[in-house]
Each structure stands twice: as structure tokens, then as C-alpha cells.
Amino acid sequence: MASGGGAEVLVLHVWDANAAERHGESREAADQLVAAVAARLSAQGIAADAKVCVSGGDVADEIEAMAAEYHPDLVAMGSRGRGDLAGLTLGSVSHRVIHRIDCAILLGRDRDSGSDPQVTRILLALAGNASDSAAIDLASGIALSHKSSVLVLHVLRSLMDGSSSGYLQPLEAVAEVLRPAVRILRERGLDAEELVVPGSAAAMIVETAQANHAGLIVLGPGRRPSDLTGLLLGDKTSEVVHLSDRTVLIAAAKPRHPSAQENAGGTERKKADGWGAGLEGKY
């Protein structure tokens, strides 16, 4: 995503001084880690810098503080796939970052050795609300950069997940969600198709991505509720991250930079650069 777009990348590692002895990671090893990753990015022509934050406590706090200082358009990090309850009790860093940072967030998962890292197919999951536009712009920007096809998915909500009756949404309403999105993507020169499936939203998003060999799942920002709210009311975003073996990209609720609104009319420039709206190039 950073290559070819003039992006800057800050490679961040939070070194926990209190846990250093337990994990066997010296401060020197931490410095070498970020320097090696930054050098790898630089070798690909990407402007990269490295930073180690020394922490005596919460890693998510340090990431949040650095995001507030650096003002990135995207935070990219790994995820081990812990669910809401495990995220609260075991301290999942990615779970807490999702709910604290309002820029786009990319959550990568371990890949099998020799697997293809290229994103040739994207699953764009739409909720049918105002958050969809950010996800559409983000997915189209990445698809243009990688020449990917896009599968636009909407999970039909029902009174009983997975049932074939008692739907809460008429098919006409579903069409109003999907068809404008597909039309926008096709107008931007992308190969896009639509799919509607019934069932539990998070599970069906993950299953559809697997069945259609999508390398990336793009979601809207949604509510991004607090940790406790997500646990009590259900947080579909965290559920998808927990269940999926694919990379998940969560769109930003609003652009990070004030200048993004001023540049909102530059659609042709964004299309040529291959960026989604609001991604001005800091990671």
C-alpha cells in the first residue's frame, strides 16, 4: 500500500522495560528490529523511519500516544485473533487500538510459508449505513493500486441468524445498499460484483472471504464502541478480526488531516495515485 504513492512510514516498536527480562529482548535488539524493517522498506523505495518507545505499562497506550503525535492515515499492526472477552482479560493490543484510534487500521495475520502476499481480490463488506462511503473509497483505492477485483458483500440480517425467513430487511433495501457501491467501483474502472447472504454478519464475512479467495477484507468504521460496550452489545469488527485468517482493513471514520477536506474534490488525482479518500500517505 505504501509503495508508489509517496507515503512515509514510521516503524514503531514498543519495548516494555518491565517485561524485557521475561521475553529476553534487550533494548539493543529492539533497536535492531525497527532498523531492519525500516531498511527493508527503504530498499523498496519507501520513505521509512524507525522509533522505539520505552514503556513500563500498556503497549496500546503507547501506540495511541504515537498516533496522536504522528497523525498517520493508517496504523498497520499484527493480530493474534483474540475475541472480545479474551481481549479484555488477556489484554489484546489490537483489540484496544481498534477502539482508541480513529484513523484507518490494517490488521495483518500470519501467512503460510510461500503464500502469495498480493491482493488480487478484495471483499468489501457493507453495513448499509453512513460508514459505507469511507470503506468504498478505501477499497477502490487499494483495488486500483493492485489491479484487484472487488466483491461487495452485504449480510442479510434476520430475526434468527442463518434462517431463511423473518428477514428484517426487504430485498429492495439491500439493492439500495449494494448497487450504488458496485456502480461507483465500476465507474472507477474496477471489476466489481455484488453478493447477498443471510446469517451472522461476522461469520459470513469471514466465510465469504475464504470461499472467494479474497486476500483482504475491508470494513467500514462502524461505531467502534468501547471495550465494555463491544463485549456487552457485540462488536462485529472485532469478531471479524478474531475469526478471520485474512488481513482486515478498517476504514477511518473521518480523514486525519484538515487538508483532506480541501482535497476532497481531487478524485481524479486520488484515482491516478491509487489512494482511497483520506489516505494522504502516512503510516
Side-chain angles (χ1 to χ4, degrees):
M1 291 177 64
S3 61
E8 306 168 18
V9 179
L10 176 65
V11 180
L12 174 69
H13 178 57
V14 180
W15 184 71
D16 187 342
N18 295 330
E21 289 187 9
R22 295 198 304 272
H23 297 301
E25 181 189 43
S26 66
R27 174 56 197 271
E28 181 182 10
D31 290 333
Q32 291 174 349
L33 171 65
V34 293
V37 175
R40 192 167 129 204
L41 293 171
S42 297
Q44 299 176 46
I46 300 169
D49 198 3
K51 184 176 181 64
V52 173
C53 286
V54 179
S55 170
D58 195 306
V59 174
D61 283 345
E62 296 295 337
I63 296 173
E64 181 182 15
M66 183 53 59
E69 176 183 335
Y70 187 65
H71 301 294
D73 301 289
L74 173 73
V75 170
M77 58 190 300
S79 172
R80 286 174 288 188
R82 289 173 173 163
D84 281 350
L85 182 59
L88 285 173
T89 58
L90 300 178
S92 166
V93 173
S94 62
H95 176 90
R96 281 174 285 161
V97 169
I98 288 174
H99 300 292
R100 295 183 186 184
I101 298 177
D102 61 3
C103 67
I105 298 177
L106 181 73
L107 297 167
R109 302 298 295 271
D110 289 339
R111 292 184 178 275
D112 294 333
S113 177
S115 64
D116 184 2
Q118 297 301 314
V119 178
T120 57
R121 191 161 175 79
I122 296 171
L123 176 69
L124 171 59
L126 299 182
N129 55 38
S131 71
D132 285 347
S133 60
I136 293 168
D137 284 337
L138 189 54
S140 66
I142 297 169
L144 285 167
S145 295
H146 293 269
K147 297 179 174 58
S148 311
S149 62
V150 183
L151 177 61
V152 184
L153 173 71
H154 181 65
V155 179
L156 197 63
R157 295 190 297 273
S158 63
L159 294 173
M160 296 182 65
D161 282 347
S163 69
S164 57
S165 61
Y167 294 126
L168 297 177
Q169 299 167 288
L171 292 179
E172 294 80 3
V174 174
E176 290 178 4
V177 171
L178 294 182
R179 286 175 189 166
V182 172
R183 183 178 66 251
I184 290 170
L185 294 169
R186 288 176 177 171
E187 287 174 352
R188 295 177 182 179
L190 294 167
D191 176 13
E193 58 183 299
E194 63 186 68
L195 178 65
V196 179
V197 295
S200 172
M204 293 312 302
I205 289 170
V206 171
E207 289 178 22
T208 303
Q210 293 171 339
N212 290 273
H213 307 289
L216 175 68
I217 298 173
V218 178
L219 306 172
R223 292 182 296 116
R224 292 207 186 180
S226 66
D227 284 350
L228 183 58
T229 303
L231 176 64
L232 297 178
L233 301 181
D235 174 7
K236 301 304 180 188
T237 300
S238 292
E239 282 186 56
V240 172
V241 172
H242 169 62
L243 295 171
S244 179
D245 60 351
R246 314 296 161 107
T247 299
V248 177
L249 178 57
I250 306 163
K254 56 185 177 181
R256 296 287 291 181
H257 302 296
S259 60
Q261 284 291 353
E262 300 169 11
N263 295 333
T267 304
E268 292 305 317
R269 179 187 63 78
K270 289 177 185 290
K271 285 169 65 176
D273 291 345
W275 297 110
L279 282 184
E280 301 301 318
K282 272 192 172 182
Y283 301 100

